[in-house]
């Protein structure tokens, strides 16, 4: 069997982006053949995606892309918001949103489009990301907005980078007016849509079922007042107008208007300023995870159901037996106090006790008297300037624990665990690492590493200056 070196693992990681442990396993299964390991990881990714497909994915990112008179919006879901901050995931959503412009909002057509520079289509790239990042992901929905003339404007709320965020909006404005002014107006309207969340563009777009259901609810409420039918009919008409103001965009009060103008009036005023009629042809608003039933997790129940970790004999805590208290001979002072008061008085740890109970508590005298700093001694307490980072030469044995590796670099074990997690490995402080893995960790942290044939934690650091520099 071929030797799996740290260089081979690094090469495979750079090619696939997979975790360090997955790369080592793939190279072991393929006898060190990097190309065969790439195929092995792809097959493993399909299996991992199938296993994770049942998980709820309600987080992720909304992507928005605009090209002149056409715009596209795409929602890509993941399990946690941590993935939304992952550069690989952000790059995928950005690229897929750009490809969605050519798919005209057809999600199934988008899945078959080839990803540039990846050698796979969009759907296969999602599977690859699932295997690489380790969370369930899915292309949830896509929509496009276009106009024959005019402009399409966009707005992204809670943006992590341009065109990517938690809420995305597209607005289509059809006009012969200045395109730059149309884009500015469209962005303002898109911000209103993000805040007000309208369901329909105009009253004509309200479907009959929604209208009839709302009218029936309002009628039942009005009948409870006991008023005549003609009065009830007027009450229902008034409340229906209120309903339109809540769900119809053109009937809503513009959120940034000081005179409480409707959106339709704002568009008319902008048309007069531009000198050309403006017609809003449509809009699209995606809010991340809306409509997805999130799984409510009880952290206490999860901890209770988790299996107890195995504890070795060396790790077991031995019970400590408190030392027996020695009989103390009363002092002459205590004897005199007892004769004078008729009560038993003892002093223990700064407390004053009586036979009938505790009467008071003395403040214990500090073990060390605080030092007074004067002008003569102030210079002795000046802070030293931070030293420059030290590059270590670390000798790594065949096996080493996370704690020992951290000690060899004079850092906390949490730093080593963090680096291993970024490499795709979940470890504990007592986890035993092999030599190749430990060397990769040391190199990731900017130090020099070399293999050694000993396992002496005190001799792992070969640089004598570390203690002085620290």
């Amino acid at each position: 069997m071929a030797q799996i070196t740290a260089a081979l693992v690094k090469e495979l990681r750079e090619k696939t982006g997979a975790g360090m442990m997955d790369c080592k396993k793939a190279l072991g299964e393929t006898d060190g053949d990097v190309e065969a390991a790439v195929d092995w990881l792809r097959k493993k990714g399909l299996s991992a995606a199938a296993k994770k497909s049942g998980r709820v994915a309600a987080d992720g990112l909304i992507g928005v892309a605009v090209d002149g008179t056409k715009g596209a919006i795409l929602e890509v879901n993941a399990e946690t918001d941590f993935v939304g901050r992952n550069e690989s995931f952000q790059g995928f959503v950005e690229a897929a949103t750009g490809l969605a412009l050519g798919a005209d909002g057809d999600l199934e057509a988008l899945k078959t489009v080839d990803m540039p520079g990846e050698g796979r289509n969009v759907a296969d790239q999602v599977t690859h990301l699932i295997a690489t990042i380790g969370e369930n992901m899915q292309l949830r929905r896509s929509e496009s907005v276009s106009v024959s003339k005019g402009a399409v404007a966009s707005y992204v709320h809670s943006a992590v980078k341009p065109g990517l965020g938690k809420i995305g909006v597209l607005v289509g404005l059809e006009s012969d007016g200045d395109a730059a002014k149309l884009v500015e107006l469209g962005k303002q309207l898109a911000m209103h849509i993000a805040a007000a969340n309208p369901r329909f563009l105009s009253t004509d777009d309200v479907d009959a079922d929604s209208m009839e259901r709302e009218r029936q609810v309002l009628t039942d409420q009005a009948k409870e007042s006991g008023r005549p039918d003609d009065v009830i009919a007027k009450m229902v008409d008034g409340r229906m107008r209120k309903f339109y103001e809540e769900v119809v965009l053109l009937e809503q009060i513009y959120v940034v208007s000081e005179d409480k103008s409707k959106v339709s009036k704002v568009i008319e005023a902008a048309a007069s300023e531009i000198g050309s009629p403006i017609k809003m042809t449509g809009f699209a608003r995606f809010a991340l995870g809306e409509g997805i039933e999130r799984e409510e997790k009880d952290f206490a129940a999860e901890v209770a159901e988790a299996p107890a970790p195995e504890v070795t004999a060396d790790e077991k805590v031995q019970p400590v037996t408190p030392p027996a208290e020695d009989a103390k001979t009363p002092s002459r002072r205590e004897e005199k106090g007892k004769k004078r008061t008729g009560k038993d008085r003892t002093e223990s740890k700064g407390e004053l006790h009586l036979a009938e109970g505790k009467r008071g508590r003395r403040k214990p005298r500090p073990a060390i008297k605080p030092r007074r700093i004067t002008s003569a001694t102030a210079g002795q307490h000046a802070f030293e300037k931070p030293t420059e980072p030290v590059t270590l030469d670390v000798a790594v044995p065949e096996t080493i624990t996370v704690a020992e590796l951290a000690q060899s670099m004079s850092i906390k074990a949490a730093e080593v665990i963090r680096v291993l997690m970024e490499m795709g490995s979940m470890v504990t402080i007592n986890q035993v690492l092999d030599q190749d893995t430990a060397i990769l960790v040391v190199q990731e942290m900017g130090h020099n590493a070399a293999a050694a044939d000993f396992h002496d934690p005190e001799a792992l650091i070969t640089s004598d200056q570390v203690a002085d520099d620290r």
Side-chain angles (χ1 to χ4, degrees), residues 169-187:
V169 181
L170 291 175
V171 173
L173 298 175
E174 197 169 79
S175 175
D176 292 323
D178 185 9
K181 292 184 178 180
L182 289 174
V183 170
E184 182 62 27
L185 173 64
K187 183 176 180 180

Side-chain angles (χ1 to χ4, degrees), residues 47-85:
S47 175
K51 291 179 181 178
K52 294 179 174 66
S53 62
R55 300 182 186 174
V56 177
D59 229 296
L61 286 174
I62 302 291
V64 173
V66 175
D67 184 11
T69 58
K70 190 174 185 179
I73 185 169
L74 174 68
E75 179 178 0
V76 184
N77 293 129
E79 293 181 49
T80 64
D81 61 344
F82 296 104
V83 174
R85 297 192 289 268

